[in-house]
Amino acid sequence: MMKQMRVPAAGTGQMMATDILDLREQQDVRLENVVKTFGAYVAVDNISLTIESGEFFSLLGPSGCGKSTTLAMIGGFDEPNSGAIYLGGTDVSHLPPYRRDVNTVFQSYALFPHLSVSENVAFGLRRKGVAKAEINNRVRDMLALVDLERFVDRKPAQLSGGQQQRVALARALVNRPKLLLLDEPLGALDLKLRKQMQLELKRIQAEIGITFLFVTHDQEEAMVMSDRLAVMAGGRIEQVGAPADVYDNPCSEFVAAFLGVSNLIPGVVTSRGADISWLKLADGTSIKIDSKKLRSSATEIKIGVRPEKFHILSTGDNAGPEWNVIEATVGEAVYLGVSHQYTVESRSGQSLSVYVQNLGNPMMQQGEVVRLAWYPEHTFVIEPS
């Protein structure tokens, strides 16, 4: 799917012009210092981003963070005030949408109610003057890809929400764009159908191999489907990476809180070693952290532990010397089906969340004093900005 990147010639220490061209061919989208304002309001604040060819990439963030505005500029529906947008190495910052090899699927689907499924999918090809035989072949192939062959003659009103979403997707893909933009296309679906369509979108993207740029505020959607994602806040990009990397090692309190549930515990670094460093918590407990996760000389930091990383030690259980252990008092419990979510209070008075899978273990009782244990490698570090 991607061309293999050339490495610099031995001894040159720099990339040749042909190497740079090959690298740009692998980049379907490149944003350089893009700014978009609406009057005094800064919607997108000097962001730079590269999306590789064939990636399923997501822009993730809360409402008003600038993700849809960024998508609109890439699609040509809006122009940046400054900076540049490159598609396939070409600056398209001020080109209209029809001059870009991009198609967009919106949350509303925007299907033509008076046209059948096949006519909706064929609409763009007819506008381009594609031969009738080729239109029929491409529409048939695309409806097979989205599993709608049996519904070719139905009108949109006769379809479920998920089927309408597939028609909109087929209509966008039948034009064979190099880049498909998806602006919260699953937002109008119910939970069960949304989960099903997440897997369908990922399957379709893997089969056709084109670049998908997906905008969502739903962390689960982004993590299920994305090869990489960018977390946005306040018009800026907070962090870019593979979902597992961003989840396990968030770079800021915002990312830690937005992508999943985090327990952030303040402490002071008391010693630094080559591999292990020590942190003292407010209640006097000392815990171990991976020294590589300390990115600066700051002594006052916060550590983070995800709720599912905690192990509950019963009376008489011994924690191995490699574990971190703190004491806490059990508060409220919420049943989540596959697990219980407990709110516990540490000895320093901090409220923490703990997820315990329902594997037949007895429930913890409110007021019970327990020990929470976790491995140092499951700790991430948030340092002062």
Side-chain angles (χ1 to χ4, degrees), residues 2 19 37 39 43 66 75 83 95 157 161 168 202 206 218 244 246 298 307 309 344 349 356 367:
M2 292 188 192
D19 299 320
T37 61
L95 294 181
K202 184 61 178 175
D218 188 311
V246 178
K309 302 298 186 183
V344 304
V356 179

Side-chain angles (χ1 to χ4, degrees), residues 261-263 305-308 310 341-344 351-355 372:
V261 177
S262 293
N263 296 300
V305 184
R306 298 292 187 179
E308 70 276 8
F310 283 127
Q341 177 181 345
Y342 293 95
T343 300
V344 304
S351 179
L352 305 173
S353 291
V354 182
Y355 294 165
L372 307 181

Side-chain angles (χ1 to χ4, degrees), residues 114 140 163 177 322:
H114 61 289
R140 182 184 64 248
Q163 290 166 339
E322 72 277 13

